[in-house]
Amino acid sequence: MVDWVDVLVRSFVFLALLFFITKILGKKQISELSFFEYVSGITIGSVAGEAITGLEKNMFHGMLAIAIFGLVTLFADIITLKSKSLRDMVEGRATVFIKDGKVLEENLKKEKYTIDELSSLLRQKDIFRFADVEFAVLEPRGTISALLKRENRPLTPKDLNMKMPAEKEPQTIIMDGSIMDEALRSAGKSRGWLSTELEKLEVTLDNVFLGQVDSYGELTLDLYDDKIQVPSPSQRPLLLATLKKTQADLEIFSLETEDVQAKEMYKKNAKIVQQAIDKLTPYLSN
């Protein structure tokens, strides 16, 4: 057999062999890569090591084998995008470990996992009781996804029928003591505004390691000198407190005045301010 044909045949044979061996061993060896990428990766590295260290007498053969594994991996990635059944075979399918709070022992045995290993994976998700889990699956890449039972899930604003404002990406406007003008413009701020804010905090620009503006326009700083304490942003809480005080004052005025017309005016305005507070509280509270 011609040498290059022999290399071609051996490459495909060992690719298939290593792939199926890895499938048999299960998902424990996989963290981020798919099965196919994992097998191809270690094989390419092994072949490259042989070629580089001179153990492979013909460097062309090593280069050919590496090219074969690379092209086969690329081809597999392309065709699995279009075929669900082939994707399941190459990358694997998720395995249910817990359903309705009950551990499925047969599936654990199938994937060669012990109850201790399952407990460890759940603890990484801050879950310590199997009974708290509605559904848990082992993903093809070796990670576990878990859904808590409804009564064990944290409350969200949606559960309380609260409307929350949309948040935009924070803009990093200072980096290593330098102003990022493009990010500053994206945040809708100017250098003058930034200088004013730094003066309020009694901080110099050259002492700022990182500075960000959030979607509410508040500036947060991280200084080179960690011993210096920078006050937390307080504009929103102060504004909310001012609105609440204004509403309370209007209520008091309506009770103290003897003038009927003034009393109605204070009550009406107190109600308007309270409505504004109700709408702005999600935006202004911490």
Side-chain angles (χ1 to χ4, degrees):
M1 183 181 293
V2 182
D3 287 344
W4 71 266
V5 176
D6 181 53
V7 172
L8 181 66
V9 172
R10 284 190 288 115
S11 295
F12 279 106
V13 169
F14 280 100
L15 175 62
L17 178 62
L18 288 173
F19 172 69
F20 285 111
I21 288 176
T22 306
K23 291 282 285 186
I24 292 172
L25 291 176
K27 300 173 183 175
K28 293 183 183 179
Q29 304 298 323
I30 309 300
S31 57
E32 294 298 330
L33 299 177
S34 68
F35 285 113
F36 206 80
E37 291 168 337
Y38 174 71
V39 172
S40 298
I42 61 174
T43 307
I44 289 174
S46 177
V47 174
E50 292 286 326
I52 291 172
T53 56
L55 297 178
E56 176 60 57
K57 300 302 181 181
N58 191 325
M59 188 172 65
F60 170 74
H61 292 168
M63 295 170 63
L64 177 61
I66 291 174
I68 290 170
F69 274 87
L71 290 174
V72 170
T73 302
L74 177 62
F75 179 69
D77 288 339
I78 293 173
I79 61 177
T80 53
L81 290 174
K82 301 179 180 180
S83 173
K84 177 67 168 61
S85 58
L86 185 60
R87 187 161 60 247
D88 289 341
M89 184 188 74
V90 172
E91 298 184 358
R93 300 177 65 180
T95 304
V96 180
F97 273 180
I98 300 177
K99 188 174 183 180
D100 298 328
K102 303 294 184 181
V103 179
L104 305 182
E105 294 84 358
E106 290 301 319
N107 287 352
L108 279 178
K109 292 178 183 178
K110 176 184 174 183
E111 296 295 346
K112 301 174 182 63
Y113 270 75
T114 66
I115 195 68
D116 290 331
E117 290 168 332
L118 176 59
S119 298
S120 176
L121 289 173
L122 290 175
R123 285 195 296 271
Q124 294 175 30
K125 301 284 185 180
D126 295 326
I127 301 173
F128 293 85
R129 295 180 62 218
F130 295 116
D132 292 341
V133 181
E134 180 75 30
F135 193 74
V137 297
L138 181 69
E139 302 293 353
R141 296 185 177 184
T143 59
I144 196 165
S145 300
L147 175 68
L148 290 172
K149 292 182 178 179
R150 183 173 294 275
E151 62 269 21
N152 296 315
R153 298 175 204 168
L155 280 175
T156 64
K158 185 177 181 179
D159 295 328
L160 303 174
N161 293 321
M162 294 175 59
K163 292 184 178 180
M164 300 300 293
E167 292 194 14
K168 297 180 180 179
E169 175 190 2
Q171 296 291 332
T172 301
I173 61 173
I174 302 176
M175 189 180 295
D176 294 325
S178 300
I179 298 175
M180 305 288 103
D181 290 304
E182 184 176 348
L184 195 62
R185 287 192 296 270
S186 298
K189 304 297 181 181
S190 64
R191 281 183 172 246
W193 171 86
L194 179 58
S195 298
T196 302
E197 293 298 311
L198 292 176
E199 288 177 6
K200 288 181 184 178
L201 298 173
E202 298 181 353
V203 172
T204 58
L205 179 62
D206 56 2
N207 195 30
V208 178
F209 173 66
L210 190 69
Q212 289 186 319
V213 175
D214 61 20
S215 56
Y216 300 106
E218 293 184 340
L219 177 64
T220 304
L221 301 177
D222 183 84
L223 306 183
Y224 284 109
D225 189 349
D226 293 329
K227 295 180 180 179
I228 300 177
Q229 297 296 324
V230 180
S232 301
S234 58
Q235 292 94 329
R236 285 183 292 147
L238 284 176
L239 178 56
L240 182 60
T242 302
L243 287 172
K244 289 181 177 180
K245 183 178 183 304
T246 302
Q247 194 275 340
D249 288 342
L250 290 170
E251 291 280 2
I252 293 173
F253 295 157
S254 69
L255 295 174
E256 291 180 346
T257 183
E258 298 294 336
D259 190 308
V260 176
Q261 187 175 2
K263 186 184 290 290
E264 289 300 320
M265 180 190 68
Y266 286 133
K267 284 184 178 181
K268 180 180 178 181
N269 287 314
K271 186 177 180 180
I272 292 174
V273 175
Q274 183 59 53
Q275 290 173 347
I277 291 173
D278 293 339
K279 291 181 180 179
L280 293 174
T281 295
Y283 298 85
L284 300 180
S285 58
N286 287 326

